[in-house]
Amino acid sequence: MEKIVILTGAGISTESGLSTFRDEGGLWAQHRIEDVATPEGFARNPALVQGFYNARRVQAAGVEPNAAHKALARLQKDWPGEVVIVTQNVDGLHEAGGARNVIHMHGTLAGALCSACGHRWGAPPEMAVGEPCPSCNRPTARPDVVWFGEMPYHMDEIYDHLASASLFAAIGTSGQVYPAAAFVHEAQAAGAQTVEINLEPTLGASGFDTYILGKASETVPNWVEQLLARPS
Ligand code: OAD
């Protein structure tokens, strides 16, 4: 059966109450990327960086999945083939909406990582500066999120999925951050149909076969409905 690979970005979670990065008033209008989302920024001012992710962790814990997250979980459950969800989001809203095996290529707010020994564990709601790693005891805990200049997670697995996809959808992502922005080309090279679902056409919209415009909470359930109604 046809395999569907879905890439999601901040736009799928914004109707749940979480900010996007690049929309007006988004996170990157309020914070400098180099201060809060790079290893160098963390080395310079760990308190600022932990504070930024602590605030996002608290926010993410207080919101609910919306109709778009739930529709993708339904697609995973009811589609006769495989549905792979790859997300750039560090919130847990896909899982809260019922999705399984979500690939978090930019890590997750729920995780802590030791930058010294690589040990991973569940992050407390508030991470403190210099918090010790439970494995090596060094004061080198950091949020388990991918920063600019670092390699996103699970790339081999993602490229394998793209190489065997029949349909690729990018939902609520501006397509400005690589390598995720190039997934559409990988999928096309493998012969997949491609669709962009976004509030507005992105700079890379012309690279997709089709696009669907509107709020994710409306467009995604409709799209899923149509896919599931397709004669197999
Ligand atoms: P962006 O903030 O760059 O893009 C959000 C996209 O969502 C935009 O294209 C909006 O048009 C769209 N959007 C907004 N509201 C929407 C809605 N209700 N329904 C559908 N679409 C909507 O966020 P990302 O593309 O996710 O990485 O950003 C990618 C990466 O850049 C993030 O993972 C993060 C950031 O820097 C790191 O921090 C490493």
Side-chain angles (χ1 to χ4, degrees):
M1 282 310 297
E2 290 183 16
K3 178 184 207 162
I4 303 175
V5 178
I6 297 166
L7 171 71
T8 66
I12 197 167
S13 294
T14 190
E15 290 169 75
S16 291
L18 300 179
S19 298
T20 63
F21 295 94
R22 296 177 181 79
D23 291 316
E24 213 184 311
L27 286 168
W28 295 157
Q30 300 163 43
H31 307 269
R32 281 161 32 110
I33 290 180
E34 50 274 45
D35 288 342
V36 298
T38 62
E40 295 79 14
F42 186 58
R44 266 197 312 272
N45 192 343
L48 180 78
V49 177
Q50 292 286 21
F52 175 70
Y53 289 97
N54 284 342
R56 293 185 63 200
R57 196 177 295 109
V58 167
Q59 260 186 341
V63 300
E64 300 288 334
N66 65 52
H69 299 104
K70 291 177 190 167
L72 294 186
R74 176 175 170 227
L75 184 65
Q76 261 190 336
K77 190 162 74 59
D78 292 347
W79 182 251
E82 192 179 359
V83 176
V84 178
I85 300 174
V86 180
T87 188
Q88 299 166 90
N89 299 343
V90 291
D91 64 54
L93 290 175
H94 282 301
E95 289 87 346
R100 286 167 290 113
N101 304 325
V102 179
I103 300 177
H104 281 272
M105 64 179 290
H106 288 167
T108 159
L109 290 168
L113 167 70
C114 175
S115 49
C117 76
H119 180 68
R120 290 192 155 84
W121 67 101
E126 292 240 331
M127 285 185 75
V129 173
E131 197 160 302
C133 165
S135 176
C136 72
N137 215 30
R138 277 177 282 192
T140 37
R142 57 168 277 184
D144 191 7
V145 299
V146 174
W147 287 326
F148 285 90
E150 297 181 323
M151 181 60 78
Y153 298 154
H154 313 296
M155 292 310 298
D156 288 348
E157 188 186 351
I158 294 169
Y159 285 125
D160 281 350
H161 284 307
L162 291 168
S164 52
S166 302
L167 175 61
F168 171 78
I171 302 175
T173 175
S174 61
Q176 292 196 39
V177 175
Y178 286 83
F183 289 173
V184 57
H185 307 303
E186 295 286 330
Q188 270 170 343
Q193 287 291 305
T194 58
V195 55
E196 176 174 270
I197 304 179
N198 202 300
L199 203 52
E200 56 193 19
T202 64
L203 292 173
S206 57
F208 288 77
D209 298 320
T210 52
Y211 58 83
I212 300 171
L213 297 182
K215 291 180 174 179
S217 66
E218 293 163 10
T219 52
V220 176
N222 288 341
W223 176 68
V224 166
E225 201 69 53
Q226 280 170 20
L227 281 176
L228 292 176
R230 239 169 46 173
S232 50

